[in-house]
Structures are given as C-alpha cells and as structure tokens.
C-alpha cells in the first residue's frame, strides 16, 4: 500500500511465495496493479506451467540466479499466480547481470541474481512501460563476493 498507484509490479518467481504475497495483497487491497512474474530462461517451470494450464516439471537448471532455479512448481503457489499474474517473462543470465550492475551503479543496492531479475524484466519492457508507474521487487542481496565482483566487472558467472 506504500504505492497503491502502481500500474505494474515485476516479481521474481522461485517457489512462488513472493509473487503470491504480491497478488494476494493487491487483491485484498482492491488494487488494479498488474503483477508480472519473472523466471530465469533456463528455469521456466512456472512460466511453462501457466502456459500449459497445468504443472510442468523441467529438467536440470543452470543459472547463477539460484533463487529462481526451480524445476518443479509448488502446486499451491501455481494456483495463485496462474490466476493472478498478468504474464510471466523469462530473463537470461546476461540480462540479470546487466540489471545487477544497473542497480548497484544507480541505487547502490547489492542484488543477488534472483533479486535483480525483476529489474531485468522491466529492462526488457522499458519501451512498453515508458510513462507508467512501475515497481520492481528487489528480493535479495545474498551474493558471493567473488561472483558479485565478476558481475561488476562486466562478466556473467558460469554455473
């Protein structure tokens, strides 16, 4: 409710608690904010499940955004985000690393891979979101120092 005027909010999806909480809070407050889920392009179980209309299990995942490296969607969470999310986007590790650099450079916030995924998705849709009130969930800053140094120096960690 700190920003009830938001048009859209981007939320990373791992097991689903963050996006579910966002959707349920929006609904409870009677807001019209669109909720956009974000997954890693190598861990798309949530996105594929919504597209298929049923739970979809994927194979092994490889992403340095380990908070989103989910192969099997949580059924209870899926029921909420399948109905309540406007759409689900996928972002690459390269896009995530770019978002981490942007967040650090512009806001001085340290974001782990999953924590920066929402910003990466907004960066994909920046032209479409121009002039709109948009929020991104920065969900965590738990990143190894060496990995963060690699990202800040322009790299993308290999997992």
């Amino acid at each position: 409710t700190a920003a009830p005027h938001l048009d859209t909010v981007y939320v990373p999806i791992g097991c689903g608690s963050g996006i579910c909480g966002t959707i349920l809070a929006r609904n409870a407050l009677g807001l019209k904010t669109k909720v956009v889920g974000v997954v890693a392009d190598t861990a798309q179980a949530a996105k594929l499940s919504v597209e298929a209309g049923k739970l979809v299990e994927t194979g092994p995942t490889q992403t340095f955004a380990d908070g989103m490296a989910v192969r099997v969607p949580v059924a209870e969470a899926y029921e909420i985000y399948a109905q309540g999310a406007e759409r689900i986007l996928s972002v690459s590790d390269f896009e995530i690393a770019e978002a981490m650099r942007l967040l650090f450079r512009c806001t001085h916030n340290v974001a782990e891979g999953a924590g920066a995924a929402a910003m990466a998705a907004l960066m994909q849709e920046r032209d479409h979101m121009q002039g709109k009130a948009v929020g991104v969930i920065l969900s965590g800053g738990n990143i190894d120092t060496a990995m963060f140094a690699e990202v800040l120096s322009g790299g993308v960690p290999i997992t």
Side-chain angles (χ1 to χ4, degrees):
T1 64
H5 63 283
L6 287 178
D7 176 72
T8 304
V9 63
Y10 292 80
V11 186
I13 302 176
C15 288
S17 61
I19 193 168
C20 289
T22 303
I23 289 167
L24 294 173
R26 179 213 45 208
N27 294 351
L29 295 169
L31 302 175
K32 304 226 181 282
T33 304
K34 296 175 188 88
V35 178
V36 176
V38 184
V39 298
D41 65 1
T42 57
Q44 294 195 46
K47 184 177 190 298
L48 295 173
S49 294
V50 170
E51 290 170 354
K54 64 179 182 175
L55 294 179
V56 173
E57 183 175 336
T58 61
T61 62
Q62 280 198 299
T63 176
F64 80 95
D66 54 353
M68 299 190 322
V70 175
R71 298 179 335 110
V72 181
V74 174
E76 295 82 1
Y78 164 79
E79 294 298 327
I80 295 169
Y81 62 71
Q83 297 300 312
E86 176 76 12
R87 62 188 172 280
I88 299 178
L89 302 174
S90 64
V91 295
S92 70
D93 277 4
F94 176 81
E95 290 171 305
I96 292 169
E98 281 288 311
M100 290 169 70
R101 287 187 281 275
L102 178 72
L103 285 164
F104 186 74
R105 186 173 58 249
C106 296
T107 69
H108 303 287
N109 281 292
V110 173
E112 63 187 64
M119 177 60 82
L122 174 57
M123 290 166 66
Q124 275 185 8
E125 297 194 329
R126 74 178 128 241
D127 293 339
H128 177 67
M129 289 295 146
Q130 199 73 267
K132 296 182 180 177
V134 178
V136 294
I137 303 297
L138 193 161
S139 59
N142 183 25
I143 184 164
D144 175 83
T145 303
M147 187 179 287
F148 193 53
E150 182 176 352
V151 168
L152 288 180
S153 66
V156 177
I158 305 295
T159 56

